[in-house]
Amino acid sequence: MSQNEPVIPKENSFLAEIVQASGETLQVCYQCQKCSAGCPLGDAMDLLPNQVLRHIQYDHREKVLGSKTIWICASCYTCSVRCPNDIDIARIMDTLRHMAIRSGITPGEKDIPVFHSVFLDEIKSRGRIHELSLILKFKSKTRDFLKDTGIGWKMFRLGKIRLLPSTFSGGKEIKEIFNSFEKGKNR
Amino acid sequence: MERMILYPGCLVLSRFHEYELASRQILSKLGIEALDMEEFCCCGSSLVSGVRDDWINLPAYSLARAERLGMDIITLCGSCTNVFLRANFYLEKDPSLLERANSRLERLDLGYAGTTTVRHIVEILVDRVDEIRESVVSPLNFNVALSHPCQIMRPSEILPEQDTLSFQAMRGIVSALGAEVVDYPAETDCCGSTILLFDRAMALKVGKRKLESAIEGGAEMISVCCGNCLLLLDRYQSQMELKNGGRRMPLISLPQLIGLALGFPQDEMGVFRH
């Protein structure tokens, strides 16, 4: 075995699951913390990106999937670019979000997963995002209507808010792409 | 005239007409006809890839549509570019993934072979920087800070081999217009816009850090090249309470800035719509 070959994760471990699903060899992380030092959102996270990787290596499934961090990540890929071991950490965050949704573990952030699902529903209904209805749907789910009204009016006057959605003939096709997935066909 | 598809993306399409229109004019000036593609869908941003492992079918749909038209795509937004580049990268790397994506597209009488190239507008412009330099009629004599479309060059594994997408790309273009490019510590930071819609306070904090860093660096304006940066740093700036005596830091997209230096009238470049 060459010296540079990564450790093979234990079968059925959380680590093995993440390595398999993300395609990233995160067992080579040696905790240099460059990812966390460059993260623009690090101060809002409960686990820093390097800590997330460490907890995965230790198989702390609940701790990681229930963390705020995986939802706060803005996918700016700064961590992935900084990593000296070429681990695409932002991609691992995506994988963790998929797992968190499927696992039924209570998410560490309440509103962000709701936003993700509203965003997806919006694409499913028309194939494109219509921001006004996206925001209205999100606000009706989080019961917070008044926060953005001031700036909303300003943008409306500058012509930055479209009242009617932009649609296209393929809108229905997009629904088909998703529905077939949900019915479990051709996954 | 070279023909390419301009993919504005939902955000620019509905909020930043001035960016889109300026891009079209600059592209046509540089000999590229920017066509519309009627059937494009939302790229899914970095949000859908965060909740669905079949996110790749969304970009695959638009890529397949463009492939059928036989043209490459120009993007305006960092997120769209990133999603398309990642989709192309993963589809090429994993033939079984391409097969799965195609099995969905087949029901819509579509198919994707993986030949559509996606390039962000900065990349198109940097290739023609000499042409731009020669066409400048009114050199810009002020200090411009840059906010790079960070997602177009990340993660590093998806980068094409030619290094036109380094952080120097925008720098070269803006200095070709005669402006002084300002260095500031937060230059390569993410602006924080992707979290704006669900955690405004946090996004404003990140954006404020970036803007204040640019102000300290002596910037008179910031040039951006992404709909997300425009949304947070421009539209939400009034909520940030910047430490510069309440003055507004002007933001302008790169194509608009080029247009001004190339002598397009101000209202055609939409500078009053910011």
Side-chain angles (χ1 to χ4, degrees):
Chain A
M1 191 165 122
S2 114
Q3 216 181 344
N4 297 325
E5 217 159 291
V7 183
I8 297 165
K10 215 165 63 198
E11 251 179 86
N12 301 324
S13 62
F14 185 45
L15 172 64
E17 242 179 276
I18 303 284
V19 170
Q20 211 264 327
S22 68
E24 299 295 321
T25 46
L26 70 103
Q27 59 274 44
V28 299
C29 169
Y30 50 46
Q31 295 291 309
C32 70
Q33 309 192 0
K34 259 185 98 180
C35 48
S36 305
C39 180
L41 297 168
D43 54 350
M45 291 175 169
D46 52 353
L47 295 177
L48 290 169
N50 68 296
Q51 293 173 321
V52 168
L53 297 190
R54 198 67 176 139
H55 280 296
I56 298 174
Q57 290 171 341
Y58 274 108
D59 283 343
H60 297 161
R61 175 190 294 268
E62 272 79 29
K63 177 106 188 167
V64 173
L65 297 186
S67 70
K68 286 175 189 276
T69 299
I70 59 174
W71 295 105
I72 287 172
C73 168
S75 305
C76 74
Y77 294 92
T78 307
C79 48
S80 310
V81 174
R82 288 170 70 97
C83 181
N85 290 318
D86 283 334
I87 305 172
D88 186 348
I89 301 153
R91 194 176 179 197
I92 293 172
M93 294 292 177
D94 272 351
T95 308
L96 292 170
R97 282 190 281 239
H98 303 161
M99 283 191 181
I101 290 169
R102 283 200 289 260
S103 69
I105 294 172
T106 319
E109 276 286 330
K110 199 165 53 71
D111 292 349
I112 305 179
V114 175
F115 183 79
H116 279 67
S117 76
V118 171
F119 192 88
L120 184 64
D121 289 346
E122 182 66 16
I123 296 181
K124 273 196 266 179
S125 67
R126 285 187 203 87
R128 289 182 195 168
I129 292 293
H130 176 228
E131 298 207 328
L132 188 60
S133 63
L134 172 74
I135 295 293
L136 290 177
K137 274 185 207 160
F138 179 57
K139 295 213 176 284
S140 73
K141 288 208 171 170
T142 53
R143 313 235 152 252
D144 171 20
F145 293 100
L146 296 173
K147 204 163 66 185
D148 292 315
T149 40
I151 200 154
W153 172 240
K154 263 192 221 156
M155 283 201 253
F156 178 69
R157 278 194 328 208
L158 277 164
K160 304 271 180 202
I161 293 184
R162 267 194 192 207
L163 291 181
L164 293 174
S166 83
T167 49
F168 68 114
S169 57
K172 280 196 192 101
E173 302 182 345
I174 301 304
K175 202 181 261 175
E176 169 73 19
I177 284 183
F178 280 110
N179 285 346
S180 55
F181 175 82
E182 274 148 15
K183 284 178 206 143
K185 285 187 232 157
N186 266 327
R187 210 182 144 154
Chain B
M1 212 170 191
E2 207 178 332
R3 288 149 62 98
M4 289 174 102
I5 293 167
L6 187 75
Y7 177 95
C10 308
L11 180 63
V12 174
L13 183 72
S14 62
R15 289 202 173 171
F16 301 105
H17 300 288
E18 63 277 9
Y19 179 21
E20 189 190 335
L21 293 176
S23 304
R24 283 181 196 281
Q25 299 213 37
I26 300 303
L27 287 171
S28 113
K29 171 103 185 165
L30 295 172
I32 298 168
E33 194 182 350
L35 299 166
D36 287 315
M37 176 167 71
E38 206 242 329
E39 295 103 345
F40 75 80
C41 67
C42 172
C43 67
S45 182
S46 37
L47 292 163
V48 175
S49 61
V51 287
R52 295 280 291 244
D53 43 19
D54 67 338
W55 61 274
I56 207 153
N57 293 297
L58 273 180
Y61 176 83
S62 297
L63 289 168
R65 284 282 179 195
E67 190 176 60
R68 177 170 288 185
L69 295 173
M71 282 182 272
D72 289 341
I73 293 180
I74 303 177
T75 48
L76 297 181
C77 193
S79 300
C80 307
T81 319
N82 179 270
V83 170
F84 283 132
L85 290 179
R86 276 194 297 151
N88 262 341
F89 178 78
Y90 296 139
L91 288 171
E92 193 191 340
K93 207 170 82 170
D94 181 359
S96 72
L97 191 62
L98 183 63
E99 206 175 292
R100 282 211 300 280
N102 269 322
S103 75
R104 305 254 181 115
L105 293 172
E106 256 167 38
R107 298 150 186 249
L108 314 172
D109 293 322
L110 279 169
Y112 184 51
T115 61
T116 307
T117 307
V118 178
R119 303 179 82 199
H120 187 268
I121 188 156
V122 165
E123 208 190 341
I124 305 282
L125 295 173
V126 79
D127 282 349
R128 293 161 176 80
V129 67
D130 294 329
E131 214 177 320
I132 294 174
R133 189 180 292 113
E134 282 156 23
S135 333
V136 171
V137 292
S138 47
L140 308 171
N141 53 353
F142 33 71
N143 299 333
V144 180
L146 307 174
S147 177
H148 304 276
C150 60
Q151 287 181 318
I152 69 171
M153 40 215 141
R154 295 172 182 170
S156 17
E157 58 179 8
I158 59 168
L159 274 183
E161 275 173 25
Q162 64 274 29
D163 193 27
T164 48
L165 273 182
S166 71
F167 277 123
Q168 301 309 313
M170 256 177 104
R171 185 172 292 263
I173 300 169
V174 172
S175 30
L177 303 177
E180 191 71 41
V181 176
V182 173
D183 288 317
Y184 65 106
E187 181 172 338
T188 57
D189 283 8
C190 163
C191 67
S193 182
T194 29
I195 49 171
L196 175 69
L197 292 171
F198 47 79
D199 196 333
R200 208 172 52 142
M202 205 196 309
L204 290 177
K205 196 168 143 195
V206 177
K208 182 178 169 169
R209 190 167 62 203
K210 181 150 189 162
L211 285 178
E212 282 181 346
S213 168
I215 291 165
E216 270 172 40
E220 290 170 281
M221 63 156 61
I222 300 182
S223 177
V224 299
C225 216
C226 169
N228 282 308
C229 301
L230 272 174
L231 180 65
L232 179 72
L233 301 181
D234 191 30
R235 299 259 50 87
Y236 278 81
Q237 197 184 115
S238 59
Q239 319 240 315
M240 290 181 196
E241 293 163 2
L242 298 177
K243 276 187 260 163
N244 66 338
R247 270 184 301 122
R248 195 177 159 76
M249 170 58 92
L251 263 96
I252 190 162
S253 72
L254 184 63
Q256 287 173 290
L257 197 64
I258 296 177
L260 294 179
L262 263 49
F264 285 92
Q266 290 190 353
D267 52 345
E268 248 179 60
M269 284 295 122
V271 286
F272 305 115
R273 285 173 56 101
H274 279 278

